[in-house]
Amino acid sequence: MAEARGQSPGVLPPDPADDAGPDSVLLVEDDAGDTLLIQEFLADSGLRARLLAARSLAGAQAIIADGERPACVLLDLHLPDSSGLEGLHTMLAAAPQSAVIVLTGLAEARAGLAAVAVGAQDYLVKDELEPRWLGRAVRYAVQRKQVELSAAALQAGRLRAEENARLERGLLPRPLLSTDRLEIVTRYRPGRMHSLLGGDFFDVVETPDGAVHAVVGDVAGHGAAEAAMGVTLRVAWRSFVLAGLSGPPLVAMLERLLLAERDDSEAFVTLINVTLPPDRTRALVTRAGHPGALVRDGAGGVTLVEPPGGLALGMMPGLGVWPQTELAVPPGGGLVLFTDGLFEGETGEEERLDLSGLLALARARGGDGAEALVDHLIGAAEAASADYGGLGDDVAVVHLGWRA
């Protein structure tokens, strides 16, 4: 029989009574007689499926490469370009979503069992085939494969949840504070389509001298590598702060760490680092490619402050200069630090909330308590972008405020 791609002459007739069969079956068999016999058996079995046929393993791979996704593959273990389990391994790799049934001879029952042990759903002896049993074997193999894929998806989901929990502990720690005069509110919200946490991170630490230090950072990109880098930088930040570093020297040390740890030479990180001295009236702010901060004055007023800043970490190694700016933060006032996911969600055709929109949201609720304000900002940003996919990026928000 000639090598076939797409539907072969032996198309299985539709059977309205059978809705459980596969959409397509790929037969990989080099013997023309066996091919014709199996085609006839499949046609007589009543399966509703397109039959695809190949006479070699390479031909089967070409069919799959052309975009075909057979629900079931009937695979002869002896082909011109493969023999035994080698061909099965190749087929399993080429069609991981397909159920595979191997075809053996009478004396090859052991080989059939070995094939099932390494990933085939079943094996059939050619000389014992008949339409009824062949159709049932294909249906059961497809069902078992679907159960296997569902179980794998559930396991992957469980592992993602466990990984999320581990990353959350690393990226989103509890503030390390002894004072009760500082009101801290922290929030994290994953962006759409992200099953894992991204690289947004934050931390708040009080040092023995009574100063309170905070950081909010954003590793460019999404995925496990970015989240792991966020954890590394967050833990390093806390260690450096407890060792006495702050301000521009601390930011420079974080860049050195990033350059040593990153796998991608183009990876970069933005962050804003804040120190609240023990006098409780001001904040020392250092920015590295990061958005500014919302400043509350204690009387319900809110302003957006973008102090002079330097390059994002890793953007131009060795050339970064990060000035430190002093801001007044009176008792009853506070700072709101955030990542760009809070204001970059789409709110219309080629429109975004932007910093001006975020400031308007904050001013509308500037007299609210810290938790109410932060929750309002996130909720309003989500609502504004709801018709365009919601928040397009992860969001981390930290509110630092001295109690009046």
Side-chain angles (χ1 to χ4, degrees):
M1 172 184 161
E3 190 89 12
R5 295 190 187 184
Q7 185 170 306
S8 82
V11 178
L12 308 183
D15 181 356
D18 177 22
D19 292 325
D23 293 329
S24 59
V25 174
L26 172 59
L27 173 62
V28 190
E29 170 63 70
D30 64 319
D31 184 277
D34 288 342
T35 297
L36 182 59
L37 182 64
I38 292 171
Q39 283 180 328
E40 292 176 351
F41 281 177
L42 284 172
D44 292 341
S45 72
L47 283 175
R48 300 176 61 186
R50 288 185 307 118
L51 180 61
L52 314 168
R55 298 184 64 179
S56 66
L57 192 61
Q61 290 176 295
I63 290 174
I64 294 170
D66 281 347
E68 293 288 351
R69 296 293 180 266
C72 184
V73 177
L74 299 174
L75 176 68
D76 185 17
L77 284 183
H78 300 287
L79 296 168
D81 53 354
S82 70
S83 180
L85 298 182
E86 175 188 353
L88 174 60
H89 284 296
T90 301
M91 182 54 63
L92 291 173
Q97 304 297 312
S98 303
V100 178
I101 300 175
V102 299
L103 304 174
T104 70
L106 277 173
E108 296 179 310
R110 183 172 297 180
L113 291 172
V116 172
V118 299
Q121 269 61 55
D122 203 349
Y123 76 94
L124 297 174
V125 178
K126 293 181 184 180
D127 294 337
E128 297 178 352
L129 285 179
E130 57 180 82
R132 179 185 176 188
W133 302 118
L134 179 57
R136 179 177 294 183
V138 170
R139 290 189 183 92
Y140 285 0
V142 171
Q143 291 173 1
R144 283 194 295 271
K145 186 63 176 183
Q146 290 172 346
V147 170
E148 176 187 310
L149 293 174
S150 297
L154 289 174
Q155 175 69 356
R158 185 180 67 81
L159 293 176
R160 280 196 299 271
E162 293 176 355
E163 182 67 10
N164 250 4
R166 286 193 293 270
L167 291 172
E168 184 172 357
R169 288 193 294 271
L171 289 167
L172 317 175
R174 294 181 179 179
L176 182 61
L177 298 170
S178 60
T179 181
D180 60 359
R181 291 192 58 194
L182 189 67
E183 186 174 16
I184 303 290
V185 177
T186 61
R187 294 287 188 270
Y188 175 88
R189 189 82 82 250
R192 64 178 183 265
M193 304 298 289
H194 299 155
S195 57
L196 278 176
L197 296 174
D200 290 14
F201 62 93
F202 62 76
D203 203 352
V204 182
V205 170
E206 183 179 2
T207 46
D209 61 358
V212 175
H213 307 263
V215 67
V216 172
D218 185 356
V219 181
H222 296 95
E226 289 77 11
M229 179 57 71
V231 172
T232 299
L233 292 173
R234 202 282 305 167
V235 172
W237 178 90
R238 178 174 283 204
S239 301
F240 292 153
V241 167
L242 293 175
L245 278 179
S246 64
L250 170 59
V251 174
M253 284 295 292
L254 290 174
E255 182 177 60
R256 289 182 61 185
L257 178 66
L258 170 66
L259 297 178
E261 295 291 331
R262 68 183 181 181
D263 294 328
D264 181 357
S265 62
E266 296 184 358
F268 65 91
V269 176
T270 72
L271 64 82
I272 184 168
N273 184 79
V274 175
T275 298
L276 302 176
D279 60 28
R280 309 183 192 283
T281 62
R282 58 201 170 98
L284 305 176
V285 180
T286 308
R287 289 198 307 144
H290 201 80
L294 297 172
V295 181
R296 307 178 71 191
D297 61 15
V302 181
T303 57
L304 174 66
V305 179
E306 296 187 275
L311 295 169
L313 307 188
M315 188 70 74
M316 298 183 67
L319 299 180
V321 176
W322 300 281
Q324 183 169 266
T325 302
E326 182 174 307
L327 302 177
V329 184
L335 293 174
V336 181
L337 313 177
F338 48 87
T339 53
D340 58 11
L342 187 60
F343 60 85
E344 287 196 339
E346 294 184 13
T347 58
E349 294 295 336
E350 299 184 357
E351 294 181 5
R352 299 183 183 276
L353 181 63
D354 214 344
L355 285 169
S356 59
L358 180 64
L359 177 59
L361 294 177
R363 284 177 169 169
R365 301 287 289 272
D368 289 1
E371 287 202 29
L373 174 62
V374 171
D375 290 338
H376 166 69
L377 291 177
I378 297 176
E382 286 181 318
S385 58
D387 292 338
Y388 294 87
L391 298 174
D393 199 355
D394 303 318
V395 173
V397 182
V398 175
H399 180 283
L400 306 168
W402 293 114
R403 300 184 192 277

